[in-house]
Amino acid sequence: MTEEHPVYRAQFYIQELEKYVTWSEYLAYYKEQDDKIMMFSGYCMHMWASYMNDKIKRQQAPLSYKEYLKKYKNLLEEGYNARPKD
């Protein structure tokens, strides 16, 4: 009954996929993207915490989290993509 309303027939464009989808597909896609970003962010935070726990690094001038991300961006991406999937 409610699906007969025109708003439920609307299509929403996902630029990354270059296609139109329904509202529920649109929400599901971006929720998945948010989950991926949060997982990567958690991975980066864990790696920075390990870096900060290193006694040698603490004696030197340690990098802030933002500096660490900037300096090791490629290495973090490689490590995240190579990790075993759950």
Side-chain angles (χ1 to χ4, degrees):
M1 180 177 183
T2 58
E3 292 182 9
E4 294 173 9
H5 192 280
V7 75
Y8 293 102
R9 292 190 306 260
Q11 296 286 300
F12 300 87
Y13 190 70
I14 298 177
Q15 191 166 2
E16 295 86 354
L17 302 178
E18 298 181 350
K19 72 177 192 175
Y20 289 93
V21 297
T22 63
W23 179 245
S24 60
E25 293 170 322
Y26 183 85
L27 290 176
Y29 175 78
Y30 283 107
K31 182 186 179 320
E32 182 181 327
Q33 298 308 307
D34 287 347
D35 291 346
K36 288 178 182 178
I37 290 168
M38 291 305 296
M39 287 178 64
F40 181 67
S41 180
Y43 173 80
C44 291
M45 186 64 74
H46 176 75
M47 297 304 291
W48 179 71
S50 294
Y51 162 83
M52 292 301 289
N53 283 335
D54 186 352
K55 291 179 183 179
I56 295 172
K57 300 289 184 207
R58 280 195 311 237
Q59 291 172 353
Q60 301 169 351
L63 298 173
S64 69
Y65 179 66
K66 191 173 183 179
E67 293 168 333
Y68 179 82
L69 289 179
K70 187 175 181 179
K71 182 173 182 175
Y72 294 111
K73 179 183 182 295
N74 293 336
L75 193 61
L76 288 166
E77 289 173 354
E78 288 174 20
Y80 180 76
N81 292 328
R83 80 194 193 298
K85 305 295 185 242
D86 294 335

